Amino acid sequence: MTKRFSFDLKATDGKARTGVINTPRGEVRTPAFMPVGTAATVKAMMPESVRATGADILLGNTYHLMLRPTAERIDRLGGLHKFMNWERPILTDSGGFQVMSLAGLRKLTEKGVTFKSHIDGSKHELTPERSIEIQRLLGSDIVMCFDECPALPADRERIAESMRLSMRWAERSREAFGDRPGHALFGIMQGGLEQDLREESAEALRKIGFEGYAVGGLAVGEGQEAMFGCLDYAPDFLPVDKPRYLMGVGKPDDIVGAVARGIDMMDCVLPSRSGRTGQAFTRHGVVNIKNARHADDPRPLDENCSCPACSNYSRAYLHHVFRSNEMISGMLLTWHNLHYFQEIMQGMRDAIAAGTFEAWQAEFHAQRAQGDI
Ligand SMILES: Nc1cc(N)c2c(=O)[nH][nH]c(=O)c2c1
């Protein structure tokens, strides 16, 4: 097992890439999808079940963990990997994005952000230095710079101002991170949908130098067309030999389109959150299992899926346990969704390696009916 952090680019097909991120806690096959383990758990899943879906790496949320049970307590208990019984790689976000979307009474200054906890109203401060310290205490393998993601819609001046603040915070994050062999710090590109600001941000990050680079500021309500429009150029501004991480994405077709444009890593709550609400993603489209028409359906969600939900249960059963609000409902559908997302990633990795990504994409889209099935 390597003691270093490195990225091996194995093959490309058009702009799509496949490779391996090597970390002391194991390899991450790319393109990779990261299930979100918000409060030290991927909701409704045991860690070994998450691994069984094919996940190589999880995402932990700094904002939630700093508030409860606190990074210091997790550190005292041996770090996040031991705490949540997941010994493979963990990427943690910086907390900045969730402060802006979840916390109350936020005050943003050059230093950082002060806010009130959404849990108990207690006052807190996040700065680049504090965010990096929290992520270190958690034992994160891939640490994210503390950044600011402007709420959309925003005018160009606001986007430029916010991006430049994030670049100053990226320098402070790099300084605070120090020298931690085997661990990585990723910079986050900002700049909204402005190509020149995106290029300016990428240049600023490259000058600082990071082990990986994220594309932030997307999946914030701009819509798929605008997101893809930005991804048609933004990844090209980033170093070719480092992992590229698109934050907060997305639906299956978002993920495929992002990989086709040169993205290597993604995370999203969608498969787990939707699983708990009865929305199943399948190769033929979305199944809303609570719909009455599934009440007598003996078929599996997806006859081609090998997950426990599709191997052992009918749509009728899944419909019943959701309608009865049974705990197994969210467990089974979360497992299915995460399994399906990982199946998409494995399909893309194989297709890119074989040089057949274009045909794979055509098949992926051809299989998908419109709407609920
Ligand atoms: N969609 C997004 C999800 C995220 N978790 C983030 C983030 O953590 N930082 N910066 C971002 O721009 C961002 C965008």
Side-chain angles (χ1 to χ4, degrees), residues 93-98 145 147-149 188-190 215-220 245 247-249 267:
D93 61 15
S94 71
F97 186 75
Q98 289 195 313
C145 280
D147 70 330
E148 205 243 336
C149 174
I188 305 177
M189 178 207 270
Q190 291 292 348
V215 179
L218 294 176
V220 289
Y245 162 30
M247 306 185 85
V249 174
D267 82 275

Side-chain angles (χ1 to χ4, degrees), residues 29-44:
R29 298 162 292 172
T30 67
F33 179 81
M34 297 184 280
V36 176
T38 303
T41 164
V42 177
K43 295 183 183 344

Side-chain angles (χ1 to χ4, degrees), residues 3-310:
K3 292 293 180 206
R4 295 175 46 248
F5 180 95
S6 63
F7 177 53
D8 297 332
L9 187 55
K10 302 285 189 187
T12 60
D13 188 348
K15 283 191 169 185
R17 301 143 43 104
T18 186
V20 176
I21 298 172
N22 304 291
T23 84
R25 288 185 179 272
E27 296 181 348
V28 179
R29 298 162 292 172
T30 67
F33 179 81
M34 297 184 280
V36 176
T38 303
T41 164
V42 177
K43 295 183 183 344
M45 295 286 287
M46 297 286 282
E48 49 269 41
S49 305
V50 175
R51 178 59 184 161
T53 67
D56 291 335
I57 181 171
L58 291 186
L59 182 138
N61 289 135
T62 290
Y63 171 78
H64 288 279
L65 293 170
M66 71 178 279
L67 296 180
R68 185 172 57 189
T70 77
E72 286 73 12
R73 171 169 286 128
I74 290 177
D75 179 44
R76 287 197 302 271
L77 291 164
L80 185 57
H81 295 82
K82 184 174 186 322
F83 189 57
M84 69 182 291
N85 189 30
W86 172 269
E87 288 305 331
R88 291 182 175 273
I90 293 176
L91 178 147
T92 48
D93 61 15
S94 71
F97 186 75
Q98 289 195 313
V99 162
M100 302 316 277
S101 54
L102 294 174
L105 276 182
R106 302 177 302 273
K107 185 170 184 296
L108 174 70
T109 66
E110 181 71 27
K111 184 184 180 193
V113 183
T114 56
F115 61 93
K116 278 195 170 184
S117 162
H118 72 287
I119 298 170
D120 60 13
S122 54
K123 289 183 179 176
H124 297 268
E125 178 182 51
L126 262 183
T127 64
E129 294 77 13
R130 176 60 178 152
S131 173
I132 298 303
E133 180 190 34
I134 289 171
Q135 296 178 74
R136 180 185 57 77
L137 288 168
L138 294 174
S140 173
D141 301 286
I142 300 178
V143 170
M144 300 305 296
C145 280
F146 187 69
D147 70 330
E148 205 243 336
C149 174
L152 293 182
D155 61 30
R156 178 184 161 85
E157 186 184 343
R158 165 77 180 105
I159 291 170
E161 187 184 304
S162 171
M163 179 272 285
R164 289 164 187 153
L165 173 64
S166 288
M167 295 306 102
R168 294 193 295 275
W169 283 356
E171 285 195 279
R172 286 167 54 188
S173 297
R174 178 86 268 179
E175 179 67 24
F177 183 81
D179 180 19
R180 299 185 61 217
H183 298 79
L185 179 65
F186 280 23
I188 305 177
M189 178 207 270
Q190 291 292 348
L193 302 177
E194 307 288 331
Q195 183 163 348
D196 60 334
L197 296 181
R198 286 282 175 180
E199 188 163 18
E200 179 186 330
S201 179
E203 275 315 299
L205 294 176
R206 293 172 74 121
K207 282 199 181 86
I208 298 165
F210 291 97
E211 291 72 66
Y213 296 79
V215 179
L218 294 176
V220 289
E222 74 281 359
Q224 187 183 78
E225 186 180 351
M227 179 175 75
F228 282 172
C230 182
L231 292 176
D232 282 338
Y233 59 79
D236 300 335
F237 296 148
L238 298 172
V240 70
D241 62 340
K242 301 285 191 246
R244 298 154 176 180
Y245 162 30
L246 176 60
M247 306 185 85
V249 174
K251 301 192 304 304
D253 52 335
D254 294 334
I255 289 171
V256 172
V259 168
R261 291 167 172 82
I263 294 296
D264 303 309
M265 302 164 72
M266 280 156 282
D267 82 275
C268 193
V269 294
L270 187 66
S272 39
R273 182 175 293 168
S274 298
R276 297 195 302 279
T277 63
Q279 187 174 59
F281 291 92
T282 79
R283 73 197 75 245
H284 301 302
V286 173
V287 176
N288 289 305
I289 200 63
K290 290 193 274 194
N291 189 307
R293 59 199 173 93
H294 302 298
D296 293 296
D297 193 334
R299 298 175 304 157
L301 270 179
D302 181 342
E303 62 279 358
N304 294 309
C305 179
S306 61
C307 84
C310 294

Side-chain angles (χ1 to χ4, degrees), residues 29 31 54 341-352 360:
R29 298 162 292 172
F341 272 53
Q342 295 299 343
E343 191 179 89
I344 292 170
M345 306 317 289
Q346 186 60 57
M348 290 195 285
R349 294 192 291 260
D350 293 343
I352 296 164
W360 184 93

